[in-house]
Amino acid sequence: MPKVIIDGKEFIAKENETVLNVAERNGIYIPRYCYHPALSIAGNCRMCLVEIEKMPKLQIACATTVTDGMVIHTQTEKVKKARQDVLEFLLLNHPLDCPICDQVGECYLQDYYMEYGLKKSRIDLKDKNRKPKRRDIGKHLILDNERCILCTRCVRFCEEVTKTSELFINSRGDHSFIDIKTEEKLDNDYSLNIADICPVGAFTSKDFRFKERVYRLSSTSSICLSCATGCKIKVQHNNGKIYRILPDPNIYTNTWICDNGRMSYKITAGPDRLTKSIIKSEEHHLNKAIIKLFDILKEAKEKNLKIAILLSDYLSIEDNFALYYLGFEILKTDLIYASKEKEQKIEDGILINKDKTPNSNAVSQISKLYGIKKYEDLKDCDLLIGFYDDIEKLNIPKNKSVALSYKADKEYDNLIAIKTYFETEGSFINWQYFLRKTAPSVSAPTDTISVYDLCLKISELFGYYPKEKELNKIFNELKYKTED
Amino acid sequence: MNILLNDNFDLKTYITNGGYNALKKSFTLKPEEIIEEVKKSGLRGRGGAGFPTGLKWSFIPKTKTQKYIVCNSDESEPGTFKDREIIHKNPHSIIEGMIIAGYAIGASKGYFYIRGEFAREARIMEKSIYEAKEAGYLGKNILKSGFDFDIVVVRGAGAYICGEETALLESIEGKQGKPRIKPPFPAVKGLYGCPTVINNVETLASVPYIVIYGGENYSKIGVEKSSGTKLFSVSGPVKKPGVYEIPLGLSFKTFFYDWLGGMKEGEELKAVIPGGSSVPVITAEEAMNTKLDYESLQKIGTMLGSGGMIIIPKSQCMVELLYVLARFYHHESCGQCTPCREGSGWIEKTLNKILNYKAKKQDLDLIVDISNNMMGRTICPLADALAMPVISFVQKFREEFESHIEGNCKICGK
Ligand SMILES: Cc1cc2nc3c(=O)[nH]c(=O)nc-3n(C[C@H](O)[C@H](O)[C@H](O)COP(=O)(O)O)c2cc1C
Ligand code: SF4
Ligand code: SF4
Ligand code: SF4
Ligand code: FES
């Protein structure tokens, strides 16, 4: 293991580790633009120049591998001057867009300027190079070539991660600009990661543009539920509104997230969000709706009607078990169904799973443990309670259903307005068997309820008061991993 | 050394003059012995950097993997036109040098990368390679030695940067000509990721002579660390501009008066760019007191470079000349590295203002400052190749630049 000295302190480096990585691991930050931990090294921005003893020229920390006994300086006047000069070059032809640029607050140019720059521009405004602006480059992205610092992170992302290679640098010298190779658009399934990794405001997200300043956003760590991969995410919100989802890079599951998962927050505030429950085609406040639902169930039970309950791969472990409890213990029905096991695999070699549900690994275990039937066996029933998306896929008359839903749908007589997992906690087991929880980042509309609470309330109305322990015992019976 | 021997361009004459004897001799030697001879000869790369050729070859790992020899014939630097002359007059010496180099490092394939504009020269090389192949000097089992070697001619597309060795490799691989970060050096990871030696045309054309006469004899030509002969392509208003092969260490004065015939009538020597447009300019006085070899030129702050000598007369405005150079380097910057991409354009813009009497006083220091901020901080030396001339021009001919700020240049009369 090579020993190195950085700014006077000795550190043990790993074999073939770069100066930048050794420094970073030990809390010494070296400024960078083109370096990205998940992409190949380009070494083009020259922001990470450091002084290494016995080398006449400054060296780039991102591409220089350490050798035993190397003495590195990251804070000398020479290094500081080099950073200042590189910044001056980068800002030379940069437009003065900050007041209207979305990157403000997370812009490497602004940040480093405050730290290393603070120099007056030495070029006349009229002498600056002009480049194309506001280019509609794909479904989710706008490109401003003038703001681009040509770090090639976006190009490398499309080459190395999605392997779709849509982007390249057109022309040469200071006329260089990021361009798209084909007549097509930049529409790969991960395109919005480019807006994240672009260190400046060149690539921006159409969805997020001009909506909110990033420094006003709060972040909540959660997980994406759009497929069985269950990527870790950061949900960013302000004043009870979600503005965007970012990946929460981790060594276990994901560095990136797909565009589909990123847009999944739209269910919270879309025009078709179900904010009040509907019972017998009439809208009700929450408490009233619960009582009306109780009445329906009571009547059905008294009449010995066939009540079926659907467990759901879309719902959390807690919610599924509460549904099971409601069916088995309270309604005393044995018509409890779940989907059959799903094939899980990363279908695109990146992140997107063939299984588009977030919790089938938990539900299939519950099914086995409690002898639950498969959807296919559901031939006939008089009343069905289940999650909207599952009911949609089954061939059950809608007037016989009580759908737990985020979404309004006029075709249903009974819809219970439930909270999304952006608004409530829930546990899920992803395809790798990691158990992870969602965390509420915004509050739900007042008349919505979580499935768990709904089941609890109904039970209580039936005169049962299940202990939390009873509902939580399922966790002891499930197989899962946790991150260490 | 007869690099420029007349009429040596067809195979028959080449052979009559002893051509391909070096190759025959090589096959009686072990590859290491050839590398040793080249080391002994003191031959240094003629492409500009002057790196010892034998040492470069010895960096190639002794494994059995695919390796390549690449001959750099991109020759696009302003003022440099010596490789073209070798192609015209002695193409087989290059081919023979490439085969020997291939044998020495264990490469079975060579690429001849030639500047896009050299259409005629590419045809000459293709024809000569064909001739050599027909005669059994290329192909399988050359001269029953068991050694296979082939050469492919690849034409560039008009970018000066593709002369930089790693940009050249990218170009052969079909990618944009952008220099790679080093390390890894081509000797370890070159063309298609395989160990590769890249040498200049003139370097490789010198190899057959070294093999025939021995490294030691070669090293006797020239002076100590600058052994052998070197081609100089001379442009500017001298009586006899052209390409000359001189022993290294010759004094500039002798070269200038005895070989070039001095300045044309009515012209007076002001300055010299001794080694191609990328090297610092020297004044007439400095030139008259120097010798033409790597060390002497380095001592006075310039370089031998490629040997593209530009003779500058008093009647030439230095601002105008530097502007032309800046425009060239700005145009040819590949644009990868921040300092070169932004700095080259900035220098050109500022020089344009200076040239046209629109600059402010501080713009003079500005271009020097920009140059200093570019130097030594980029992936390849192209940034330095602009920065060094700018700094030396302003330093040595400051009054001419000042006259352009004050608005009274008597030379260009603009
Ligand atoms: C911008 C630039 C252009 C270059 N152009 C050439 C060229 O046209 N021909 C050449 O032989 N070397 C050129 N070189 C030098 C090569 O990178 C390399 O050093 C050389 O081909 C090695 O061969 P040698 O060791 O035989 O000199 C250039 C270097 C730079 C930085
Ligand atoms: S668009 Fe952004 S990521 Fe791409 S090269 Fe420019 S600055 Fe870098
Ligand atoms: S890959 Fe799956 S879990 Fe990851 S962000 Fe996309 S939809 Fe969400
Ligand atoms: S120094 Fe200039 S030409 Fe060389 S790699 Fe950098 S930008 Fe390209
Ligand atoms: S971060 Fe090292 S050169 Fe860009």
Side-chain angles (χ1 to χ4, degrees), chain A residues 46 93 127 129 169 174, chain B residues 176 330 342 349 353 377:
Chain A
R46 320 306 285 181
N93 287 305
D127 289 340
N129 291 347
I169 292 188
D174 59 357
Chain B
Q176 288 177 327
H330 172 212
E342 304 295 335
K349 276 179 197 162
K353 283 193 198 166
R377 292 178 182 173

Side-chain angles (χ1 to χ4, degrees), chain B residues 136-401:
Chain B
Y137 298 117
L138 281 172
K140 291 248 175 283
N141 194 12
I142 300 167
L143 305 173
K144 302 206 175 64
S145 64
F147 177 65
D148 308 335
F149 194 74
D150 257 313
I151 300 175
V152 179
V153 175
V154 178
R155 288 181 63 189
Y160 164 58
I161 192 59
C162 288
E164 194 283 333
E165 53 188 18
T166 55
L168 186 154
L169 297 180
E170 292 282 297
S171 175
I172 296 181
E173 290 180 13
K175 303 182 199 140
Q176 288 177 327
K178 300 203 167 164
R180 301 175 181 170
I181 32 177
K182 288 181 259 185
F185 290 93
V188 180
K189 238 180 136 190
L191 189 61
Y192 302 111
C194 302
T196 303
V197 158
I198 301 144
N199 273 131
N200 172 254
V201 169
E202 187 185 346
T203 314
L204 287 165
S206 306
V207 168
Y209 182 96
I210 293 169
V211 171
I212 286 287
Y213 296 97
E216 206 158 313
N217 281 324
Y218 181 91
S219 74
K220 285 183 189 143
I221 312 171
V223 289
E224 224 187 312
K225 281 189 184 158
S226 301
S227 62
T229 60
K230 173 85 192 82
L231 299 189
F232 276 84
S233 56
V234 185
S235 55
V238 283
K239 288 218 179 83
K240 293 187 282 178
V243 180
Y244 295 86
E245 181 176 0
I246 63 168
L248 284 165
L250 186 70
S251 85
F252 173 80
K253 204 169 183 172
T254 310
F255 184 49
F256 179 73
Y257 289 113
D258 297 358
W259 300 55
L260 306 179
M263 297 299 277
K264 275 189 184 158
E265 292 308 318
E267 295 287 7
E268 236 184 294
L269 181 67
K270 174 159 78 181
V272 178
I273 299 175
S277 64
S278 311
V279 312
V281 66
I282 52 176
T283 62
E285 197 194 330
E286 286 171 317
M288 285 304 168
N289 291 315
T290 193
K291 287 189 196 135
L292 297 171
D293 58 73
Y294 293 101
E295 287 71 34
S296 303
L297 288 166
Q298 200 181 358
K299 221 182 287 162
I300 57 166
T302 184
M303 289 185 287
L304 184 81
S306 61
M309 185 181 282
I310 304 171
I311 302 287
I312 304 164
K314 286 216 162 126
S315 58
Q316 172 61 50
C317 168
M318 294 306 265
V319 182
E320 204 177 16
L321 185 55
L322 185 61
Y323 173 69
V324 172
L325 289 184
R327 203 175 54 193
F328 173 78
Y329 286 102
H330 172 212
H331 183 70
E332 298 298 339
S333 162
C334 86
Q336 275 190 96
C337 329
T338 310
C340 173
R341 176 182 68 239
E342 304 295 335
S344 59
W346 197 6
I347 289 178
E348 190 205 317
K349 276 179 197 162
T350 315
L351 266 171
N352 190 5
K353 283 193 198 166
I354 297 174
L355 182 66
N356 293 302
Y357 305 101
K358 287 182 186 143
K360 298 186 225 66
K361 201 153 176 269
Q362 61 266 35
D363 285 342
L364 247 188
D365 293 331
L366 179 65
I367 54 170
V368 174
D369 202 32
I370 301 170
S371 303
N372 281 319
N373 296 349
M374 289 164 69
M375 273 238 275
R377 292 178 182 173
T378 51
I379 294 178
C380 90
L382 186 133
D384 298 14
L386 169 59
M388 290 186 300
V390 171
I391 295 169
S392 63
F393 268 65
V394 176
Q395 201 178 46
K396 291 178 179 165
F397 301 95
R398 196 171 176 101
E399 65 295 348
E400 289 191 32
F401 286 83

